Amino acid sequence: MTPGPQRPDGPAAQPLRSDAERNRERIIAAARMVFGRDGLSASMASVAREAGVGIATMFRRFPTKEELVAAVFADRMDAYADAVAVALDDPDPWRGFTGYIEAACAMQAADYGFADVLTMTFPTAKDLEQRRNEAYEAMVQLIDRAKAAGRLREDFDPSDLVLIHMANAGVVNATGDAAPEAWRRVVALMIQSLEAPPAAPCPPRPSTRPSTRPCSATARRPSPRRSRRRAADLGAQLGK
C-alpha cells in the first residue's frame, strides 16, 4: 500500500519507500531551481516537469504549494533567523542592525523564490512560520537596541522592514542578470536614510500596516522571457 503524503510541518509520517523518497528529493531539488529562477508564481506543473515526475506524483508528495514551499525553504528560513541572532550578538547595535538588513537582502538577491517568501505568509506551514515569528521578535529587539544607541531614527517602525524587503524584492526581480548588483546600491541608500538624526520626518505609517501576503495571493510574475527582455532594456538604460 502506498504511504500517504509526507507533510513537513505536520505529524510524523510513516517512512517513505526508497522510490517515493527519491521522487520527493527530485521534486524538492527541482522546486529549488524553478522557484529560485522564476519565483513562487511558478506553477506546480512546471516543478513536476523539471523533476521529471507526473503531476499525480507531485501532489501525492506535496498536496499543496505551501507544503512544497515549506520543504524547499526551511533551511533558508533557518539561515534568515540565524542572521538576526548574529546581529543581536554584535556589540555595536547599529552595525548589527545594518548588517542584518544587508544579509537579509543578499538572501533575497540570491534566490527569487526566497525574495517572495519574505513577503508572504504560509499559514499551514507551521514550522516555517514559527521560525519567521522568532526572527521577527528578535528583529524588534534589534530595532530597539539601535534606537537606544541613538543611531536609528525614532520614527522607524518594525513594519518598515516589510517595506524594505518588498522594495528589495522588486529591484531584484526587475534588474535580473542585467544588473545583478543593483540591489546593493538601493539597500545602501535605504540604510543611509534610516540613520539618526533624520533629515526630515517620514510620512505617517499606512493606516493598514504592510504585511506579508498569503502564498495563495502570489502576484503574477512576468514570464522568464519577458523578464529577460525587460532586464536587458534596463541594463541598457543603466549603462547610459
Side-chain angles (χ1 to χ4, degrees), residues 87-88 90-98 140-154 194-197:
L88 277 175
D90 194 315
D92 183 327
W94 178 247
R95 185 175 61 199
F97 175 73
T98 59
V140 172
Q141 297 178 49
L142 201 60
I143 291 168
D144 290 343
R145 289 175 70 234
K147 285 184 178 180
R151 299 298 306 278
L152 177 63
R153 56 188 301 157
E154 283 296 326
L194 301 178
E195 193 163 8

Side-chain angles (χ1 to χ4, degrees), residues 122-178:
F122 305 87
T124 65
K126 303 301 183 185
D127 289 346
L128 194 72
E129 288 303 304
Q130 180 179 342
R131 287 297 274 160
R132 187 208 300 276
N133 290 336
E134 291 171 357
Y136 177 81
E137 294 301 324
M139 282 188 294
V140 172
Q141 297 178 49
L142 201 60
I143 291 168
D144 290 343
R145 289 175 70 234
K147 285 184 178 180
R151 299 298 306 278
L152 177 63
R153 56 188 301 157
E154 283 296 326
D155 57 358
F156 185 85
D157 184 82
S159 64
D160 292 328
L161 283 171
V162 180
L163 294 176
I164 290 173
H165 287 322
M166 288 180 173
N168 189 56
V171 170
V172 168
N173 292 332
T175 55
D177 293 337

Side-chain angles (χ1 to χ4, degrees), residues 217-235:
T218 304
R220 182 181 297 275
R221 184 185 301 276
S223 68
R225 180 179 299 176
R226 183 177 300 174
S227 294
R228 287 193 295 270
R229 184 167 61 247
R230 183 176 60 183
D233 291 344
L234 179 63

Side-chain angles (χ1 to χ4, degrees), residues 32-43:
R32 283 187 189 278
M33 186 171 73
V34 172
F35 291 155
R37 180 189 66 213
D38 301 333
L40 298 191
S41 62
S43 68

